[in-house]
Amino acid sequence: MKKCLFLSLIVAGYLTACSSTKSPDSSATATNIPATATPDNSKTSVDWPGTYRAMLPCGDCEGIKTELTLKQDQTYEMAMTYLGKSKEVYREKGTFQWNSNGNKITLSGKLQQQETNQYLVGENRLWKLDAAGQKVTGALAEKYILKKGETELHPESADNSITEKYWKLIELNGKPVMVSSTQPREPHFILKTENNRVNGHSGCNSFMGSYEISAGISIKFSPLAATRMACQDVPYESEFLKMFGIADHYLFQNDTLSLTQAGTAPLARFVAVYLR
């Protein structure tokens, strides 16, 4: 009986020893499993170092001529000029940090404490974000994109892309404009390059005046002179003519033109009509 018990203990010890010798091999195999690869993001996959330029909208000036250079060592250089307000070029150097997702950067520095300082990084593009860190939306959204390799900006040269075109009014203060069959003409205006003259029709009366375009996004109209016919079928005439005295910015995209006040929602929207 004692002999059998002794043999049983020997066998149990042998099995335990075999089991323990296999553990290191099992552990080693586990440690050889490769870690999950880090997903691609703007920081790792985009050629982001370089100089980006844009003419950013400005609430109390003609536009902000902006040049931002990002360097590989996560430092930056920025130059900003507030056109129509000051000829001084505000320059700054500092560092920037990436967010945990590797798609946004935050700039440091005194100038950045006065402005929103976050940018979304894309291929050859920087989107200047709003105070909440989100993309700017609305009529001026495209104006908040800085482009890499953009040629030097020359704000003193007017943008002629909206001149010499017949702009038909389609929306006023967010409401569609309906043209009555009894109206003398449809509401529209034309910006003439000669002497910077504007002329048009309110749907009831003809009007004329002058305009000035600057910084590629800013526009100003002089007080308009208009005929004085009375028309019952043009209830929006007063608002339409008043709009020209309020508008100070514009957005031109394809064949649509929006006039706005300091980057707010469009005061009026127009579509280009090509006359034959």
Side-chain angles (χ1 to χ4, degrees), residues 173-268:
N173 295 324
K175 298 178 181 179
V177 171
M178 306 301 294
V179 179
S180 170
S181 59
T182 60
Q183 290 182 209
R185 296 190 64 180
E186 63 188 8
H188 72 277
F189 74 93
I190 301 174
L191 299 176
K192 307 295 292 185
T193 54
E194 184 177 0
N195 298 323
N196 281 28
R197 302 298 297 173
V198 56
N199 58 60
H201 204 280
S202 67
C204 179
N205 287 283
S206 298
F207 62 84
M208 64 184 66
S210 61
Y211 72 93
E212 180 181 352
I213 294 176
S214 58
I217 59 172
S218 298
I219 189 167
K220 293 181 179 179
F221 295 92
S222 69
L224 301 177
T227 56
R228 297 184 178 181
M229 291 179 58
C231 302
Q232 296 181 353
D233 295 332
V234 192
Y236 52 79
E237 180 187 32
S238 177
E239 289 184 66
F240 181 44
L241 295 176
K242 181 180 178 181
M243 179 273 304
F244 287 99
I246 300 174
D248 55 16
H249 285 76
Y250 72 90
L251 173 65
F252 172 52
Q253 191 170 22
N254 299 326
D255 285 336
T256 302
L257 172 69
S258 298
L259 295 181
T260 71
Q261 181 185 27
T264 58
L267 299 170

Side-chain angles (χ1 to χ4, degrees), residues 76 92-95 107-114 117:
Y76 73 87
E92 180 176 80
K93 295 181 180 181
T95 61
L107 309 186
S108 63
K110 292 183 179 180
L111 280 180
Q112 299 311 308
Q113 294 175 5
Q114 304 171 13
N117 61 352

Side-chain angles (χ1 to χ4, degrees), residues 120-180:
L120 179 67
V121 181
E123 189 67 47
N124 298 323
R125 296 286 190 276
L126 294 178
W127 284 263
K128 185 175 175 63
L129 304 178
D130 62 19
Q134 302 298 318
K135 275 188 177 182
V136 175
T137 59
L140 296 180
E142 293 293 322
K143 299 296 182 181
Y144 287 89
I145 301 176
L146 287 75
K147 299 178 181 180
K148 184 180 179 183
E150 187 84 345
T151 56
E152 180 67 25
L153 301 170
H154 297 286
E156 64 277 2
S157 60
D159 176 30
N160 294 321
S161 59
I162 65 174
T163 61
E164 300 296 341
K165 291 182 179 180
Y166 182 107
W167 292 109
K168 175 184 174 181
L169 179 67
I170 59 173
E171 183 180 290
L172 184 62
N173 295 324
K175 298 178 181 179
V177 171
M178 306 301 294
V179 179
S180 170

Side-chain angles (χ1 to χ4, degrees), residues 47-54 65-80 90-98 105-108 111-112 119 121 125-126 146-150 152:
D47 182 24
W48 52 264
T51 299
Y52 301 77
R53 295 184 176 93
K65 182 181 177 182
T66 304
E67 182 176 288
L68 174 59
T69 300
L70 302 180
K71 299 183 179 182
Q72 190 69 50
D73 61 357
Q74 292 192 200
T75 61
Y76 73 87
E77 295 182 7
M78 175 172 277
M80 304 172 70
Y90 296 89
R91 300 184 183 276
E92 180 176 80
K93 295 181 180 181
T95 61
F96 62 89
Q97 294 77 40
W98 290 90
I105 59 172
T106 301
L107 309 186
S108 63
L111 280 180
Q112 299 311 308
Y119 295 79
V121 181
R125 296 286 190 276
L126 294 178
L146 287 75
K147 299 178 181 180
K148 184 180 179 183
E150 187 84 345
E152 180 67 25

